[in-house]
């Protein structure tokens, strides 16, 4: 059966109706290739994505091979973030944080649990002249930040799938059973957002949207679909969350 994720406007995001067994096999094949030839590579790469020249260290989510990064980056660039405080959770190369700075944010905090990602994001911010606007923290979700830190906008492109990650590289793909590794993000986001703040969350139509939807509801957010990009076997789905 197809999964669905209901929104305040009455619409639903649905996964493909293809047999789930076939989809699982295809996802495993894609994950095998992505993990072994992209995520777990041993060399430092340089890549251009959405107008940025980015250093991509080993184990860091690649912004060109995985189109989610550019899709999200283009969306963020179009937002009016002038004079706002923004945090990007799971920053990877820092491309989304850089997009927020490009969109006028006063301050951007880029957070990632992967030390190689934090190094890449810090270097990429400096390369593009955003070292004074973008600060980088290596830590777990928002718990790594100062207790008093508040944000007008939270951005996150978390791991899409609720399976046990193999290692730090695979944490870009898998968030642990029941989305263990990102489960706290939604409650943390509720406590960190300023009144009227926004939380933009990028997922896959193949994510467990029912489970993530329950985490969103428990944290007292309302979800609205604000972007979608169809791919060969799935769709990228972008939600705006606001406090109920």
């Amino acid at each position: 059966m197809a999964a669905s994720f209901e929104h305040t406007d009455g619409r639903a995001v649905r996964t493909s109706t293809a047999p789930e067994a076939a989809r699982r096999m295809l996802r495993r094949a894609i994950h095998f290739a992505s993990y072994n030839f992209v995520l777990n590579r041993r060399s430092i790469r340089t890549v251009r994505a959405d107008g940025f020249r980015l250093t991509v260290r080993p184990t860091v989510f690649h912004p060109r091979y995985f189109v989610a990064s550019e899709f999200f980056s283009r969306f963020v660039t179009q937002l009016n973030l002038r004079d706002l405080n923004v945090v990007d959770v799971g920053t990877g190369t820092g491309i989304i944080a850089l997009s927020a700075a490009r969109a006028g944010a006063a301050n951007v905090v880029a957070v990632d649990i992967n030390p190689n990602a934090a190094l890449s994001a810090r270097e990429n911010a400096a390369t593009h002249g955003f070292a004074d606007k973008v600060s980088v923290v290596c830590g777990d979700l928002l718990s790594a930040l100062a207790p008093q830190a508040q944000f007008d906008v939270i951005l996150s492109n978390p791991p899409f799938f609720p399976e046990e990650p193999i290692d730090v590289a695979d944490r870009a793909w898998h968030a642990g059973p029941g989305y263990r590794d990102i489960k706290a993000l939604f409650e943390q986001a509720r406590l960190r957002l300023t009144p009227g703040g926004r939380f933009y969350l990028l997922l896959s139509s193949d994510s467990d949207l029912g489970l993530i939807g329950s985490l969103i509801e428990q944290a007292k957010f309302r979800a609205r679909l604000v972007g979608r990009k169809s791919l060969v076997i799935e769709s990228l789905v972008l939600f705006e969350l606001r406090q109920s």
Side-chain angles (χ1 to χ4, degrees):
M1 295 178 62
S4 66
F5 185 50
E6 298 296 337
H7 307 288
T8 54
D9 60 4
R11 291 180 295 166
V13 174
R14 298 186 182 277
T15 61
S16 168
T17 55
E20 182 57 29
R23 294 185 65 75
R24 281 200 302 268
M25 289 179 63
L26 184 55
R27 283 200 298 269
R28 287 190 188 115
I30 293 172
H31 171 257
F32 177 85
S34 299
Y35 174 78
N36 287 284
F37 301 112
V38 181
L39 289 171
N40 206 32
R41 69 192 183 283
R42 301 301 180 189
S43 61
I44 297 176
R45 307 286 178 86
T46 300
V47 65
R48 292 190 178 275
D50 196 25
F52 297 114
R53 183 176 181 272
L54 302 169
T55 296
V56 189
R57 283 182 169 76
T59 73
V60 177
F61 199 76
H62 198 291
R64 285 301 300 276
Y65 291 133
F66 304 116
V67 298
S69 295
E70 280 197 297
F71 172 66
F72 201 5
S73 177
R74 289 175 182 136
F75 175 85
V76 171
T77 297
Q78 295 172 3
L79 295 174
N80 180 8
L81 300 180
R82 185 171 299 279
D83 300 326
L84 299 184
N85 292 319
V86 178
V87 61
D88 173 25
V89 183
T91 195
T93 60
I95 183 173
I96 308 305
L98 298 185
S99 297
R102 185 168 61 183
N107 296 286
V108 184
V109 179
V111 183
D112 205 293
I113 199 167
N114 183 344
N116 275 353
L119 286 170
S120 293
R122 188 173 292 111
E123 181 175 338
N124 291 328
T127 295
H128 292 280
F130 290 132
D132 60 333
K133 279 191 173 186
V134 178
S135 58
V136 181
V137 175
C138 184
D140 188 15
L141 305 178
L142 298 174
S143 63
L145 307 183
Q148 69 274 16
Q150 296 281 301
F151 301 95
D152 304 297
V153 176
I154 296 174
L155 308 167
S156 188
N157 173 199
F160 288 159
F161 304 111
E163 298 175 26
E164 192 67 53
I166 300 168
D167 53 20
V168 69
D170 200 32
R171 292 191 72 167
W173 193 278
H174 291 127
Y179 289 102
R180 176 198 63 215
D181 296 341
I182 64 166
K183 195 171 183 179
L185 174 61
F186 302 96
E187 183 64 22
Q188 291 176 3
R190 185 181 67 82
L191 297 173
R192 296 284 188 163
L193 274 177
T194 57
R198 295 163 285 162
F199 178 6
Y200 291 101
L201 179 71
L202 181 62
L203 299 169
S204 164
S205 60
D206 275 359
S207 300
D208 188 337
L209 296 177
L211 178 52
I212 292 177
S214 69
L215 296 174
I216 289 170
E217 290 178 1
Q218 288 168 23
K220 297 182 172 57
F221 281 110
R222 291 177 287 107
R224 181 172 70 93
L225 182 66
V226 293
R228 183 177 189 133
K229 181 179 179 63
S230 295
L231 305 176
V232 175
I233 65 166
E234 63 182 327
S235 293
L236 299 174
V237 285
L238 180 60
F239 300 104
E240 179 188 81
L241 309 184
R242 288 181 181 264
Q243 294 169 320
S244 300

